[in-house]
Amino acid sequence: MSRTPEKHPGYLPLPIDKLPANKVVPIEMYIYMPMNGKMLLYKEEEAVLGPARHARMHEFRDRFFYKREDQPKLEAFLKANPGDDVRPMKSLMSNPHFLSGAASKEELQSRSAKLLCNHFGFTPDETSDESITEQMQKQINQVTAGVLEVLEVDAGVLDKLKAVVGALETSGWNHSANVAGISALLALAIGYTDKELLRDIATGGYLHDIGLSTCNLPMRARELNYTPVELERYRQHPAAGLELLEILELGVSENVKIIVYQHEEWHDGGGFPQGAQGADLFEPAQLVAIASKIDHLIRTDLPGFVAIDEAMRKIGEENGAGGGACEFNPGLLNQIFDAVFSGGAMVSSPLASYG
Ligand SMILES: [Fe+2]
Ligand SMILES: [Fe+2]
């Protein structure tokens, strides 16, 4: 629990956990700098906290303050805006399709663990001393370690991408493992070097769709074929994924949680669950979204599948060129295509139309 620094009696700790994302906050927010003892204005009055910033504030929750005189204003605001949009815990408890009726935390955890196993086609060893969650954690670590090994291979990005797709498959099409590999490779290609972040991106890629396991949806090619009721359930899957991570207490970082939560958001705000856009999107979440799209286009169990470089060209053409929907950040796509195709693997840049 944070305390007001002695030098600043006019300030009170900001209750970050109660503060909703995507709402206009009616007070000024300050951040305390321990190195020089100063209190700096962090957000003007009437600022909106996007989900990415909101999540980052969670990491440093003890450092935020507000002016004591604003206390009545803040209290009224919190009363009118209860809950916390970034941490949608609890809603699963009442989700009729999922965990309703779970009597205890343990039951909730064991049901969640089973859903996760189904999602990954993973059969837990019932005779093992380890819990299902521990076994699942091992599986996640193995996939992530496999991805990090591929990153070290001395080859061009496109060759590595081709190698990674399928190399990580255990049986048949494995979207999760493919996305883990593709997203980490894309990140490396555009200059991400921090190993922990690359590991988080691979982990986030592997886990991004776990929420689907709660949605009780029929196997269909794409969400376009869902009925309105199914579509509504489908749109819950990023939040459900975040909740699963929290219920299971898997050892994953905040980065991974944000990736899972934001992987269906669009650069232009047309995605879900929050319709967050632009700078409020965590770039690794966009990388995972791009990787997921690539993998959907190359999967061989769907008609019309294409090679990986062709898939990237298609994404470039569909994304924003000619004023269409802008699912992915065009600047980010440009960086990716520059990195992937700079070796002359393609005749022309797929994003030439961006200018
Ligand atoms: Fe998804
Ligand atoms: Fe996906």
Side-chain angles (χ1 to χ4, degrees), residues 259-286:
I259 289 172
V260 169
Y261 190 62
Q262 286 197 333
H263 80 272
E264 297 282 358
E265 298 286 8
W266 285 26
H267 180 70
D268 66 4
F272 57 92
Q274 291 194 299
Q277 57 178 296
D280 270 333
L281 295 184
F282 187 37
E283 191 171 272
Q286 278 267 289

Side-chain angles (χ1 to χ4, degrees), residues 4 66 71 78 88 96 98 103 132 149 165 189 197 205 216 221 225 266-267 283 304 330:
T4 298
Y66 68 102
Q71 195 174 16
L78 292 177
F98 175 37
I132 300 180
E149 267 172 37
V165 176
L197 186 52
N216 196 21
N225 295 324
W266 285 26
H267 180 70
E283 191 171 272

Side-chain angles (χ1 to χ4, degrees), residues 11-23:
Y11 293 80
L12 291 170
L14 193 63
I16 298 291
D17 290 324
K18 290 190 191 147
L19 219 55
N22 282 346
K23 295 270 161 53

Side-chain angles (χ1 to χ4, degrees), residues 136-146 199 203 206 251:
M136 202 61 245
Q137 181 93 55
K138 264 195 180 162
Q139 158 102 353
I140 294 165
N141 293 347
Q142 256 173 31
V143 170
T144 312
R199 186 193 304 274
T203 310
Y206 191 57

Side-chain angles (χ1 to χ4, degrees), residues 208-209 212 234 237-238 263-264 292:
H208 75 286
D209 268 339
L212 284 176
Y234 174 77
H237 82 268
H263 80 272
E264 297 282 358
S292 175

Side-chain angles (χ1 to χ4, degrees), residues 17-91:
D17 290 324
K18 290 190 191 147
L19 219 55
N22 282 346
K23 295 270 161 53
V24 176
V25 183
I27 55 162
E28 290 177 343
M29 289 173 270
Y30 291 81
I31 184 162
Y32 178 66
M33 311 302 281
M35 57 286 267
N36 59 10
K38 289 213 165 105
M39 195 69 88
L40 298 181
L41 181 63
Y42 182 72
K43 277 274 184 191
E44 306 271 2
E45 198 176 316
E46 305 293 314
V48 176
L49 298 178
R53 182 180 294 276
H54 190 267
R56 275 199 296 280
M57 285 175 80
H58 266 273
E59 282 183 44
F60 301 99
R61 69 190 70 183
D62 291 344
R63 303 255 308 269
F64 290 98
F65 296 86
Y66 68 102
K67 282 189 175 151
R68 193 177 283 272
E69 69 215 40
D70 283 338
Q71 195 174 16
K73 245 196 213 173
L74 180 67
E75 276 174 9
F77 168 71
L78 292 177
K79 215 170 159 195
N81 298 282
D84 178 337
D85 294 349
V86 167
R87 302 258 161 256
M89 278 295 268
K90 295 181 212 42
S91 62

